[in-house]
Amino acid sequence: MDKKPSNFGGSRPSNYGNSQHSGGNRPAGSGQHSATPGQGGYNRPAGQQSGRPGGFGGPRPGGPRPAGVRPPLTGPRPPRKEEPYNINERIRAKEVRLVGDNVENGIVSIQQAMRLADELELDLVEISPTAEPPVCRILDYSKFLYQQKKRQKEQKAKATKVVVKEIRFGPQTDDHDYNFKLKHAQSFLQEGSKVKAYVFFKGRSILFKEQGEVLLLRFANDLEDLGKVEQMPVLEGKRMTIMLSPKKK
């Protein structure tokens, strides 16, 4: 087998790899990098822009951006918040029924209704779009929305949370324990809470489920002046439960 010559891959000039090859003789225009004092790159002909995509490094198209001016936003705009009512030009009906204290009630054209609203310097608000024709009012729309939000806030503040108090009995509760728990149930109903009373059957005491039902019915009967039965005695597993809610004053 023939041996390969030591200079396999072709002969190279003797100065290949020499640290001083950049100073060798090269033909003009061959792309030779010339180290210019004070610059880290190579010389370009005057007026030549960078060859990078987008022309980075060249002059900005249209001139420099004025100071303090932000570039236009790109991408989809956020969705506009929908108004709860159609107002003014957003009302599509040809005729509307005007109601209210500041106008003559009746059916008029949308043009006439808009003209009346302009004369009063108010808004035409479609308060019942499903009616035929739609019902509209002439009013101050901003004030109208504020009053609605205020009313909803007041209603939410008046709404009370339902509180359920539990009272536990045994199937053979004595009279002393029964009366003690009856007084607690009376105070719970008077303060507006619901009462969930149940009899818990432990072990073989499930044989006395009839006694538990009688006990709960007696309990509801003793509280009939303060509460009403929402749910009659129901056996669920080892519990027989009855639900009482306070009567409205």
Side-chain angles (χ1 to χ4, degrees):
M1 183 176 181
D2 296 338
K3 294 183 179 180
K4 294 182 180 181
S6 60
N7 60 347
F8 176 74
S11 60
R12 301 178 184 271
S14 60
N15 61 348
Y16 180 80
N18 192 340
S19 61
Q20 298 181 354
H21 73 280
S22 61
N25 295 329
R26 294 188 180 184
S30 62
Q32 176 182 358
H33 292 203
S34 60
T36 304
Q39 297 181 0
Y42 55 86
N43 293 337
R44 293 194 184 95
Q48 181 178 351
Q49 298 182 12
S50 171
R52 290 181 293 170
F56 298 112
R60 178 185 298 277
R65 183 189 303 150
V69 178
R70 298 179 61 183
L73 297 176
T74 58
R77 293 185 176 183
R80 183 178 178 181
K81 185 178 180 180
E82 293 293 335
E83 293 288 346
Y85 298 93
N86 290 330
I87 62 171
N88 302 328
E89 292 81 3
R90 294 175 55 188
I91 302 174
R92 301 302 181 187
K94 296 180 179 180
E95 291 183 338
V96 297
R97 182 183 297 276
L98 281 180
V99 297
D101 300 330
N102 53 352
V103 296
E104 183 178 353
N105 296 352
I107 298 175
V108 298
S109 65
I110 186 63
Q111 293 81 5
Q112 184 178 354
M114 290 287 296
R115 185 168 60 253
L116 290 173
D118 290 338
E119 291 175 358
L120 296 173
E121 297 182 353
L122 296 172
D123 301 301
L124 182 66
V125 182
E126 188 180 45
I127 59 175
S128 182
T130 58
E132 187 63 36
V135 180
C136 295
R137 282 182 178 269
I138 296 178
L139 43 81
D140 187 337
Y141 185 58
S142 300
K143 185 177 179 180
F144 174 68
L145 290 181
Y146 171 76
Q147 290 176 346
Q148 276 202 332
K149 291 181 180 179
K150 184 178 179 181
R151 192 179 301 111
Q152 291 174 358
K153 188 176 181 180
E154 290 175 352
Q155 291 176 352
K156 186 177 180 180
K158 291 180 181 179
T160 57
K161 295 182 179 179
V162 178
V163 179
V164 179
K165 299 293 183 70
E166 291 189 352
I167 293 181
R168 172 176 171 172
F169 292 102
Q172 296 178 340
T173 301
D174 56 28
D175 290 341
H176 179 270
D177 190 19
Y178 173 85
N179 292 328
F180 177 77
K181 293 180 179 180
L182 181 65
K183 291 182 180 179
H184 278 285
Q186 291 171 344
S187 62
F188 293 153
L189 292 172
Q190 288 173 350
E191 69 184 21
S193 302
K194 291 186 177 183
V195 174
K196 181 179 181 181
Y198 65 93
V199 179
F200 183 75
F201 300 98
K202 185 177 180 181
R204 298 184 62 183
S205 63
I206 192 68
L207 300 175
F208 303 99
K209 60 182 180 180
E210 291 81 6
Q211 295 183 14
E213 183 177 2
V214 171
L215 177 64
L216 292 178
L217 291 175
R218 173 191 173 190
F219 184 71
N221 185 65
D222 291 341
L223 294 172
E224 62 178 355
D225 293 337
L226 298 175
K228 59 181 179 180
V229 178
E230 277 193 0
Q231 174 185 312
M232 295 298 289
V234 177
L235 182 62
E236 299 175 348
K238 295 182 178 182
R239 286 187 178 189
M240 181 174 288
T241 307
I242 192 172
M243 180 72 74
L244 304 173
S245 60
K247 287 185 176 181
K248 295 182 180 180
K249 297 181 181 180

